[in-house]
Amino acid sequence: MIWHTPSRTFDLSRRALIMGVLNVTTDSFSDGGQFIDIERAVAHGRQLAAEGAEIIDVGGESTRPGAEPVPEAEEMRRVLPVIEALARYAGSSEFGVRSSEKGRSPISDLRSSRPAISIDTMKPAVARAAVEAGAEIINDVTGLRDPAMREAVRATGAGAIAMHMQGRPRDMQRSPRYADVVGEIREFFRQTFEACLACAIDPMRLAFDPGIGFGKTVEHNLTLLRNLDSMRVEDRPLVLGVSRKSFLGKVLGSDALADRAWPTVALTSYGRTRGANIIRVHDARPNAEALRMTEAMLSPEAAA
C-alpha cells in the first residue's frame, strides 16, 4: 500500500504512521489556546516529531461539535507561519527536540523519514496557500466534497485525506442518524474516490477517514471501529482519529479529559489490528510505542 505526497512515498503495507495534532486555535476541544503563539506551536510540532509523529497536522479552525467557522484570512494568519517554520525544520538536521532538552526519545529512531506537514482545513484557498508554504498533505474534514478542494489537490499534487462528516461542526452532533453507518460511509468513500479520478487526481495520493465523532453517536463510533477494514476503497490507506474524543469519556463514564489518554492508546493498537494505516493523535510517544509494539506482534518484518 503506497501513499504519495509531492516529495515522498510512504509504504504503508506493514508500517502505519502517527499523525500528530497541532491545533493553532483558540477553541479546540482539548487544547484550544495552548499553541496559538507561533513559537509555542513550532516547539510543540518539533516535540511531536521527536516523540514519533511522522506527520504534523496543523489546523487553524476548530472542528469540535458546535464550533463556528473562522474567516479565511484569520485561518491563514494562524497556520501559514507555523507551517513555514516547521517545513524549514523538517528539511534540516535540527528537526525534533534535542536530547539535552527532553531526554532520550527512542521512538525518534523508529521514524521512517523526516516528518511531513499536513494542513487540516475545509477551505481550498487555505489548502493551496499551506502547500505553497511547505505542507504536503491536505486533510479535509468535509471529505473533498467541494470541487474547488479537489482541484486544489490536483493542482498542488498534495497527498489528501477525505474524511466523512454528517452535517457541519456547528450541528453535526444534533441527532445523527444512519440506516447503515458502515455501508453509507463506504459508499461515500467510493463516490469520493470516483469524483477524484474524474478530475485527474492521482489515486495514489488519496486516503480516507471515517470521521469518528463527526456526526456519529457512541454506538456509531464503536460500530465503525469494529468494521474499519471493511470500509477500505481500492486499497487506499485508512486514517483513524479517536484521540481524546468525547465518546471515550461516555464509554468510561468520566468527564475528565485526562481519562481519555490511555483509552486512546488502546484504540491505536486495536485500530492497527483492524487495518488503520495513519493514526491521528495528540500524544505522540505513547501511541507510537503502542503502534510499534502492535506491529511487531502482527509482523516481525514491521519491527525490523
Side-chain angles (χ1 to χ4, degrees):
M1 182 183 297
I2 301 299
W3 192 40
H4 290 315
T5 73
S7 73
R8 70 192 76 197
T9 296
F10 290 110
D11 182 353
L12 304 177
S13 55
R14 291 195 178 94
R15 194 175 189 282
L17 304 176
I18 289 289
M19 171 185 270
V21 178
L22 178 52
N23 288 320
V24 192
T25 63
T26 59
D27 57 345
S28 290
F29 77 93
S30 70
D31 54 6
Q34 290 186 31
F35 307 113
I36 197 70
D37 175 78
I38 293 173
E39 289 188 4
R40 291 186 68 184
V42 172
H44 187 60
R46 296 178 70 184
Q47 179 67 29
L48 287 168
E51 293 184 353
E54 293 158 304
I55 302 170
I56 309 299
D57 192 36
V58 181
E61 178 178 47
S62 175
T63 53
R64 64 175 173 78
E68 293 295 325
V70 171
E72 185 177 278
E74 172 61 15
E75 188 176 346
M76 288 190 189
R77 186 192 69 78
R78 294 176 181 182
V79 301
L80 295 183
V82 175
I83 290 170
E84 289 170 354
L86 288 175
R88 284 196 301 271
Y89 282 122
S92 75
S93 59
E94 297 179 10
F95 201 101
V97 176
R98 295 174 184 173
S99 59
S100 60
E101 294 173 329
K102 290 289 184 180
R104 186 172 180 272
S105 181
I107 292 297
S108 300
D109 301 331
L110 298 180
R111 289 179 297 179
S112 60
S113 64
R114 61 186 176 84
I117 311 303
S118 171
I119 176 65
D120 179 358
T121 187
M122 297 181 275
K123 301 182 180 70
V126 175
R128 285 177 178 267
V131 174
E132 186 174 341
E136 295 193 58
I137 299 162
I138 297 170
N139 181 14
D140 179 15
V141 299
T142 63
L144 304 180
R145 288 183 173 95
D146 186 345
M149 185 65 91
R150 295 197 296 271
E151 175 57 22
V153 172
R154 188 205 64 78
T156 61
I161 298 170
M163 195 196 80
H164 177 273
M165 173 170 57
Q166 188 179 92
R168 306 289 287 187
R170 68 176 68 179
D171 62 11
M172 63 186 179
Q173 288 306 107
R174 297 176 188 169
S175 302
R177 296 179 182 178
Y178 301 85
D180 173 6
V181 66
V182 173
E184 289 175 42
I185 293 176
R186 183 170 52 234
E187 177 61 15
F188 170 75
F189 287 168
R190 187 192 66 77
Q191 292 181 9
T192 301
F193 184 81
E194 292 183 357
C196 288
L197 292 186
C199 66
I201 293 174
D202 178 357
M204 303 298 281
R205 298 183 184 275
L206 296 173
F208 294 90
D209 182 343
I212 300 294
F214 283 79
K216 283 94 176 173
T217 65
V218 172
E219 188 53 45
H220 291 147
N221 293 327
L222 296 176
T223 299
L224 291 172
L225 288 166
R226 295 184 194 108
N227 296 278
L228 188 63
D229 198 38
S230 71
M231 290 180 284
R232 192 181 306 280
V233 174
E234 298 293 335
D235 201 34
R236 293 294 75 221
L238 286 171
V239 180
L240 180 63
V242 299
S243 183
R244 301 183 183 176
K245 290 189 174 177
S246 62
F247 85 98
L248 300 174
K250 291 175 182 177
V251 170
L252 297 170
S254 171
D255 293 329
L257 193 64
D259 290 345
R260 304 176 191 175
W262 289 112
T264 297
V265 174
L267 286 179
T268 289
S269 181
Y270 176 80
R272 185 70 186 98
T273 69
R274 306 302 295 180
N277 307 107
I278 302 161
I279 300 175
R280 188 177 183 273
V281 298
H282 295 83
D283 305 298
R285 182 167 182 167
N287 286 283
E289 291 175 338
L291 180 59
R292 299 284 87 92
M293 190 68 239
T294 302
E295 290 176 335
M297 298 300 294
L298 292 172
S299 170
E301 294 85 356

